[in-house]
């Protein structure tokens, strides 16, 4: 706490970017157009993601907490990120660390809870302590902190993202957006300034390895695939090197297993590893009194041999991620290095050989994610220069309207970059229909009732026309803020109706994710149902048009033709009452075949009548009406 802190009380709050890491966390902001991390009083920007709960109720975060971890393992939460968004019964999390957990609550949300000094602590609360610490660090530097962009791994599911947001809220931060870590790294490298490209982000941290393949298309980053190993990181290098040192010191098997010895060895190993990043050879004095050797010497070559198997595991994950993205290694436009472990020179050599190109690594790999987050926060708070504004937003869910049979016609598919607009034309389903009911829906499901209903409005006052004659043009426009405007225009009368809809607000990420998952779950069943409903609508239209035609133009029917058509009609109507989409389709084709000659005769008459002294507009209308039977197949009908 500073006693003398002179600053402008009207100073504008500054947006910040936060990398909430498994091992280390950082906060950054944009100063004079450039992102930079904020260091603590020791000059270090890396805050170990460790939270210690003291008996007196004090909560200690970062380096000081790290020093307390050994003496108070159960009261010091390390790598909290691994527990975020996990369920209470998750067997995997319970094995992570020496913690005491509380049993699952009979009621209330299903989350892991640590038991510390008999008190329940959730991972969200522990993460909030880290975030609060970073916020305070930023406040000391900037005095007033605005909104925050927080990064999360690309593979984080909705529960984990929601947990991250909750933690931020608890820490008193206003979250501008969660951004994927690899995307943030790409932003730090200014890749958004290039138009398009395919990138791999190789993130080798303390305890995790993540690889992400993403495409940058028109200012939008889209994750193509993710992969990695949640139990592979710099810590594994430390363990291998600790073993090497123990052998060189001549420690017996028994001694090197003692917890205190293990800890000293690991600390020595980490320090040695860091020194080997700059030096070819490192000599480590032996701190153990009763060991034979006075020192151990480790060369970089030897270290490379030790860590090679770890790198091969990252290589395997990378090849799989590239394959999952459906691309070839040679197609990648760039490889970005992220994470402290990519400082190791051999990692860089390995990555270069793996991808066949030198990786981008000139931004500090520890900081690159936080720097990118800061840039994004700066943009979102409107502080960036106008022409630099990133179009990172895409529609989270598809937008469409309900058409005949309750089926959804998607006008703007999900992942469309906003702002955007798209148009579709529909026609009437009934003869003499004087209005349209437009039902705007959002979601991935094929059936309107399974999607989220956004708005319903009516376009009335259309003069009665034959089915299929009215032309309704529907335009969907989504502006930069995600605001949807729908405009419906009846082309023959020029009647217009429009409505503003807010699609994304009120839908939290969780709901969005759930809707996507539902669509995936139901994909096949939905499609079948959609096909059935669509075929029913088409069958109804075809049947109606045919029934009308055989009455109006009865004189054009040849002997026996009426019976054949009626038989096909009856079969079609029966099939439409059933559940078999393919059968309906088959019966429609049958009716089509049965009416072929009749339709041709009607068409000839229509043309002859039209030519006999009518205006062009009504010629078109008559011909279209005559064509009605065949065309019925190709049309959607708005309700
Ligand atoms: P995370 O993303 O998991 O929070 P970091 O990206 O902060 O992790 O990486 C931490 C890891 O980086 C640790 O294993 C640390 O030892 C390692 N590391 C940091 N600096 C160096 C260096 N100079 N040489 C080798 N490894 C380093
Ligand atoms: Mg990281």
């Amino acid at each position: 706490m500073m006693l003398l802190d002179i600053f402008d009380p009207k100073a504008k709050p500054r947006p910040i970017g936060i990398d909430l890491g498994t091992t280390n966390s950082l906060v950054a902001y944009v100063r004079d157009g450039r992102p930079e991390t904020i260091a603590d009083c020791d000059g270090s920007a890396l805050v170990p993601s460790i939270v210690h709960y003291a008996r007196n109720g004090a909560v200690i975060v970062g380096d000081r907490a790290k020093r307390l971890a050994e003496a108070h393992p159960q009261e010091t939460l390390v790598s909290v990120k691994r527990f975020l968004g996990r369920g209470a019964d998750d067997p995997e999390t319970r094995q992570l660390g020496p913690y005491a957990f509380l049993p699952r609550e009979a009621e209330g949300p299903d989350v892991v809870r640590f038991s510390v000094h008999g008190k329940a602590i959730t991972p969200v609360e522990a993460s909030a302590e880290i975030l609060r610490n970073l916020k305070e660090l930023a406040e000391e530097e900037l005095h007033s902190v605005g909104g925050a962009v927080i990064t999360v791994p690309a593979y984080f599911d909705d529960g984990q993202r929601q947990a991250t947001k909750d933690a931020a809220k608890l820490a008193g931060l206003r979250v501008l957006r969660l951004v994927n870590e690899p995307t943030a790294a790409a932003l730090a490298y200014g890749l958004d300034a290039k138009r398009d490209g395919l990138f791999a982000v190789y993130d080798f941290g303390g305890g995790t390895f993540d690889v992400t393949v993403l495409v940058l298309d028109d200012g939008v980053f889209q994750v193509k695939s993710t992969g990695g190993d949640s139990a592979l990181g710099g810590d594994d290098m430390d363990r291998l090197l600790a073993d090497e040192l123990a052998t060189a010191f001549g420690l017996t098997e028994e001694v090197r297993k003692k917890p205190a010895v293990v800890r000293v060895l690991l600390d020595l190993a980490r320090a040695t590893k860091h020194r080997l990043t700059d030096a070819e050879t490192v000599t480590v004095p032996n701190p153990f009194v009763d060991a034979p050797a006075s020192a151990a010497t480790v060369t970089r070559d030897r270290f490379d041999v030790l860590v090679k198997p770890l790198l091969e595991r990252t290589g395997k994950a990378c090849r799989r991620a590239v394959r999952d993205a459906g691309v070839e290694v040679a197609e990648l436009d760039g490889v970005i290095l992220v994470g402290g472990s990519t400082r190791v020179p051999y990692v860089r050599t390995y990555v270069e050989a793996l991808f066949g190109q030198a990786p981008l690594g000139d931004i500090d790999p520890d900081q690159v994610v936080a720097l990118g987050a800061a840039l994004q926060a700066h943009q979102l708070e409107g502080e960036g220069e106008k022409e630099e504004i990133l179009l990172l937003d895409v529609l989270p869910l598809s937008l469409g309207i309900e058409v005949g049979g309750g089926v959804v016609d998607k006008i703007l598919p999900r992942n469309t970059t906003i702002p955007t607009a798209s148009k579709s034309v529909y026609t009437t389903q009934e003869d003499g229909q004087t209005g349209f009911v437009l039902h705007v829906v959002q979601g991935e499901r094929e059936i309107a009732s399974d999607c989220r209903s956004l708005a319903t409005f009516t376009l009335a006052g259309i003069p009665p026309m034959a089915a299929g004659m009215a032309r309704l043009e529907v335009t969907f426009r989504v502006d930069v803020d995600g605001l949807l405007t729908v405009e419906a225009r009846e082309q023959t009368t020029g009647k217009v109706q429009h409505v503003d809809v807010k699609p994304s607000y009120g839908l939290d990420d969780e709901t969005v994710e759930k809707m996507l998952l539902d669509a995936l779950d139901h994909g096949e069943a939905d499609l079948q149902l959609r096909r059935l409903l669509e075929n029913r609508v088409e069958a109804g239209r075809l049947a109606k048009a045919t029934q009308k035609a055989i009455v109006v133009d009865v004189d054009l029917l040849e002997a026996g033709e009426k019976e054949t058509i009626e038989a096909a009609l009856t079969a079609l109507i029966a099939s439409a009452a059933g559940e078999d989409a393919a059968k309906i389709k088959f019966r429609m084709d049958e009716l089509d075949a049965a009416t072929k000659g009749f339709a041709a005769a009607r068409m000839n008459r229509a043309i002859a009548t039209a030519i006999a002294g009518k205006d062009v507009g009504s010629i078109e209308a008559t011909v279209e009406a005559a064509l009605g039977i065949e065309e019925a197949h190709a049309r959607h009908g708005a309700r």
Side-chain angles (χ1 to χ4, degrees), residues 220-222 391-397 414-418:
V220 181
F221 287 102
Q222 199 191 343
L391 293 179
L392 270 171
D393 261 326
V394 293
L395 284 180
L397 294 165
R414 110 188 175 80
N415 276 339
T416 305
T417 315
I418 58 176

Side-chain angles (χ1 to χ4, degrees), residues 229-291:
D229 192 328
S230 57
L232 177 64
D235 297 349
D236 296 291
M237 297 185 181
D238 301 347
R239 277 192 280 275
L240 292 169
L241 200 50
D243 249 8
E244 179 83 0
L245 291 176
T247 308
F249 291 148
L251 298 182
T252 62
E253 286 297 323
E254 195 193 337
V255 171
R256 66 165 85 175
K257 283 209 178 71
K258 288 184 185 165
V261 174
V262 169
R263 182 182 51 80
V264 173
L265 280 173
L266 282 176
D267 284 349
L268 275 179
R270 186 170 309 114
T272 308
K273 173 183 78 174
H274 291 191
R275 284 170 64 199
L276 278 171
T277 291
D278 299 312
E280 289 288 341
T281 307
V282 171
T283 300
V284 191
N286 184 353
F288 303 102
V289 278
D290 47 359

Side-chain angles (χ1 to χ4, degrees), residues 19 21-22 24 81 181 203 205 208 338-339 369:
D19 172 6
T22 310
N24 298 300
K81 191 172 171 178
E181 287 163 10
D203 182 350
T208 52
V338 178
V369 168

Side-chain angles (χ1 to χ4, degrees), residues 469-523:
M469 289 299 298
R471 288 261 184 273
L472 182 70
E473 184 186 273
V474 177
T475 309
F476 273 34
R477 258 186 215 97
V478 177
D479 67 12
V480 272
D481 297 321
L483 188 88
L484 170 70
T485 326
V486 180
E487 185 187 280
R489 173 190 296 271
E490 202 291 303
Q491 289 176 332
T492 52
T493 57
K495 265 216 169 298
V496 179
Q497 176 79 273
H498 62 255
V499 69
D500 297 336
V501 195
K502 256 190 175 181
S504 49
Y505 297 79
L507 249 200
D508 54 18
D509 289 357
E510 199 169 348
T511 319
V512 169
E513 198 71 21
K514 190 172 170 310
M515 290 168 84
L516 288 180
L517 288 176
D518 276 357
L520 286 179
D521 280 356
H522 294 92

